[in-house]
Amino acid sequence: MTTTIAAADSLNDILCNQRNAFIRDGAPTLAQRRADLKKFKSAMISKRKEIEDAVNADFGHRSRHETAIVEMVGVIEGIRYLDRNLRKFMRPTRRHVALHMRFGKARVEYQPLGVVGVISPWNYPINLSLMPVVTAIAAGNRVMLKPSKFTPATNQVITTMLTGIFPKEQVAVVDGDGAAFSRLPFDHLVFTGSTTVGRAVMKAASENLVPVTLELGGKSPVIIARGYPLDKAASRIAFGKLLSAGQTCIAPDYALIHETEINAFIKAYDNSVKAAYPDGPAGNDYTSIINEQQYAMLKELLDDARAHGAQVIEVGNKPPNASSRPHTLPPTIVLGVTDDMRIANEEIFGPILPIIPYLSIEDAIAYVNMRPRPLALYYFGNDDENRRTVLSRTTSGNVTINGTFSHIAQDDLPFGGIGESGMGAYHGIEGFRTLSHAKGIYEQGRWNGMDLFRAPFGNLTDKVIKFFLR
């Protein structure tokens, strides 16, 4: 980064300057917010190659097409969505007025919170850093962004880009101590990362009663209904599992497949991986694991599974070629998974797909419900009773039916987890409202029914009370 900020006092100074500027200038107008979004979009597009090169450098190898599609397109489409809907989102909403106050008017106005803190992860260092920033700006806030220390090249591009279009009192990029950042008295804090760190962030934020949005993760299941075309399911699961080599919070973590169809699915999945990555894990389209630390964790999961009797199968073309590129893991299937294995309990965050057999759809649902609520759930099956049962009896952040990932690309849908996969949501109007204060306003009319409830009380008061308590 261009500036290293480690001291809590320095972070406090930035926060104070942003808050003072917010108080001085007030809420930005619709025109100002749209102008900021336009500048943001233009700056991102102009830095496309720099962004792709930086993300590639941080990962060791990251497909430039993946970076363009998931990082760039995701944010640019989010900006377009917000710009298109901002007037509607900012408009006050009329609310119902109580019977005895009908001469008055009630409405909700959405005003900026003030200063929003954003802590972003390494796995999608552009999208998961900038989409919360864009949403905060659209809602009229100032922003302090702390990206991951694991993506220094990308952070440098982000810093250069944002300092080129916004003054520090509006948007500031900082590094340093994440714990100190979490303890700052923001008006709202958005954290994306692991459940373990999310707990620490929430605890730190609670010292100042800072409301938090936690976008965490967990083990997002895939359920394939018996009889669903396995070639189609395998192709779409391979896309979701192997995008960025599985380093995605909503990647399919494991697949629940009817026990009679497991062998056929493995064959279909192997064919799908070969079609998607004809040059194997050393090809340009296949992404490396971010660093040796994450790579070692994935290897430990596989070693632990083997030690407990699991069968580990590498699939696709030329899996041994993965060793020719640093911290690269080939697409892998794991069979015979049991609850005493780490791979059954920890979020995988890599190109490893455990397959769990089931006998009935009730068994699959029970398996999901015995575990913490996931950030996403994927179901492949017809529009029938089984589909409706899965949707009604499981609880997850979001769902894609007969596909993977697609819900995240719907800008008008909220995105967020539940339970151990997170709390709160952004994207859609929910994102705008998460980072806004919904101020309820009542304008007293000429006549006020509340006068009937004032002392001195008498027979009329008793009659009015009796009317309302009928």
Side-chain angles (χ1 to χ4, degrees), residues 2-54:
T2 54
T3 304
T4 299
I5 302 166
D9 288 344
S10 299
L11 293 172
N12 272 313
D13 288 345
I14 295 173
L15 175 58
C16 287
N17 289 337
Q18 289 198 348
R19 180 161 286 136
N20 290 337
F22 176 78
I23 294 171
R24 180 194 69 221
D25 297 340
T29 65
L30 171 63
Q32 289 171 324
R33 300 183 201 194
R34 280 182 163 168
D36 285 341
L37 293 176
K38 183 178 180 181
K39 287 190 297 184
F40 211 123
K41 184 179 77 171
S42 297
M44 278 197 70
I45 292 173
S46 68
K47 289 190 174 293
R48 174 182 170 180
K49 187 176 188 308
E50 292 177 55
I51 289 172
E52 291 173 357
D53 290 345

Side-chain angles (χ1 to χ4, degrees), residues 7 10 42 52 54 91 109 116 172 215 224 282 289 306 327 337 369 382 391 426 430 458 468:
S10 299
S42 297
E52 291 173 357
R91 186 180 300 137
E109 293 187 359
V116 173
E215 300 297 346
I224 304 178
I289 306 304
R306 287 191 186 94
H327 43 88
V337 175
N369 286 338
N382 297 320
L391 289 174
Y426 67 107
E430 287 81 5
F468 281 103

